Amino acid sequence: MSELSDLPAAPRLTGRRWVTYLGYLTLWEAAARMPGPVAWRLPASVGDLWHRFAPDEQRRQVRANLARAAGHPPDGDLDRLVRDAYRSYARYWLDSFRVHTLDPDDVRARTEDVGTGVVDEVRADGRGAILVTGHLGSWEVGAFFSTERGWRLTVVAEVVEPRPLFERFVRLRRGLGLGVVPLVRGGDMLSRLEAVVRDGGTATLLGDRDLTGKGPVVSFFGEPCRLPPGPAALARRTGRPVVPGAFFTTPRGWRARAHEPVDIARLDVEQGTQRVAHALEQLIGEAPEQWHVFVPNWLADREPDHPAVADARGG
């Protein structure tokens, strides 16, 4: 637990944060004890309620994000896509709360494997691997699946509050056999991930959302967007290719998906991040309703006065 002891002091646990934590804990325990047949049916109804009662601003943002990712479909199709995104996000949370109760054999039996052998091929020389994914599908069950495949996965975890909730997620992931590197300002995340790769492990990073506001500006679904530099920077440090992948959900299971490796080790960070962006476009395009970015992501929404926004509109 040394990484957790290195974290900045947690903010004071106010009454409101306690209520938030206890709410998550109640849902977590209820989901874990839920009969399987109920669990498979529940996300659709929960997602529909969430979609109906979500703040208007959030629904508008989800709609704007998915319009870009899905190539600006007709309004009716976009309406269904937004509703299905809420259903999918509800499925993500339910899977996360239940993953520690799942049977490995059942997960394997319910998972369609599409191309993940490329990860084994990259790892075959013993020099480790880099996976890049997005806020897609069922992340926690995907990590569980990768453990069963022996990929020795280490993931980056955003430090969320209340802190007891973050610590519970860390314990969950470690219990699944994962290494966890907390994402903290001024931390040495990249050095820790480099050590993982050089030791023959697999480092996994999210590449579709920049949390710092300082990532390189690249084209993402045809618009300027800041994306995190981590995957490209780690590839430069280690000389390893980046494998784009995701763990999508299906009505009664999952689909493990990996694309061909992207060799960006010799590119600068901006060029490498642009290649990662194109790879994520293809990945998200396979199931845009399973892309769970419900907040502003593009420069037009986050930094509307940025010169790149004006240039894009002018073009």
Side-chain angles (χ1 to χ4, degrees):
M1 292 292 219
S2 60
E3 294 92 341
L4 294 185
S5 65
D6 294 339
L7 292 177
R12 186 172 64 89
L13 201 55
T14 62
R16 183 174 181 178
R17 286 189 170 130
W18 262 117
V19 170
T20 299
Y21 173 62
L22 292 175
Y24 272 102
L25 193 60
T26 300
L27 292 172
W28 202 316
E29 294 301 326
R33 289 169 169 74
M34 190 176 297
V38 176
W40 291 116
R41 295 193 301 267
L42 192 60
S45 56
V46 171
D48 287 349
L49 284 171
W50 187 3
H51 172 252
R52 179 179 178 183
F53 294 106
D56 290 342
E57 182 179 355
Q58 184 188 75
R59 278 200 306 271
R60 284 194 296 269
Q61 189 63 62
V62 173
R63 186 180 182 86
N65 290 351
L66 290 179
R68 291 154 164 147
H72 299 279
D75 285 346
D77 293 342
L78 186 55
D79 289 340
R80 286 187 289 274
L81 199 63
V82 172
R83 180 206 62 193
D84 288 347
Y86 279 87
R87 290 180 172 183
S88 176
Y89 207 2
R91 168 72 184 276
Y92 160 80
W93 281 109
L94 187 67
D95 278 359
S96 296
F97 293 152
R98 290 176 56 81
V99 65
H100 63 293
T101 71
L102 299 180
D103 180 286
D105 291 334
D106 189 50
V107 171
R108 280 192 293 268
R110 292 178 182 270
T111 299
E112 176 190 5
D113 192 328
V114 184
T116 65
V118 300
V119 181
D120 298 311
E121 293 170 8
V122 169
R123 288 178 43 79
D125 61 7
R127 294 191 293 153
I130 303 169
L131 299 184
V132 65
T133 188
H135 293 77
L136 279 162
S138 189
W139 164 261
E140 307 293 347
V141 183
F144 180 51
F145 173 85
S146 73
T147 301
E148 295 298 307
R149 291 287 294 271
W151 290 346
R152 294 176 53 200
L153 212 69
T154 292
V155 300
V156 177
E158 179 186 356
V159 180
V160 297
E161 302 298 341
R163 189 67 58 85
L165 179 64
F166 171 74
E167 292 170 352
R168 187 177 174 92
F169 267 111
V170 169
R171 289 194 298 272
L172 168 68
R173 290 165 179 170
R174 286 178 173 160
L176 297 174
L178 306 176
V180 179
V181 176
L183 178 61
V184 295
R185 187 182 299 275
D188 59 350
M189 177 200 75
L190 212 57
S191 295
R192 292 185 179 184
L193 293 179
E194 180 182 0
V196 166
V197 175
R198 294 195 184 282
D199 189 46
T202 302
T204 301
L205 299 100
L206 290 162
D208 59 346
R209 183 179 166 214
D210 172 47
L211 299 178
T212 67
K214 298 179 180 178
V217 176
V218 298
S219 175
F220 192 43
F221 289 105
E223 288 190 39
C225 183
R226 289 192 190 276
L227 292 184
L234 188 58
R236 282 177 57 85
R237 286 195 182 196
T238 62
R240 305 299 286 158
V242 174
V243 180
F247 204 74
F248 296 109
T249 60
T250 62
R252 290 293 182 270
W254 303 271
R255 184 172 77 254
R257 181 70 165 108
H259 288 192
E260 288 300 312
V262 180
D263 188 0
I264 57 176
R266 294 179 177 84
L267 301 180
D268 64 35
V269 170
E270 184 173 347
Q271 292 172 327
T273 302
Q274 182 63 76
R275 291 280 301 278
V276 169
H278 289 325
L280 289 173
E281 288 171 353
Q282 296 178 34
L283 201 61
I284 293 167
E286 293 187 17
E289 75 283 358
Q290 295 193 35
W291 189 44
H292 309 142
V293 173
F294 282 21
V295 297
N297 204 47
W298 277 265
L299 284 185
D301 297 331
R302 297 176 62 178
E303 303 173 57
D305 296 329
H306 194 287
V309 176
D311 291 344
R313 288 171 177 165

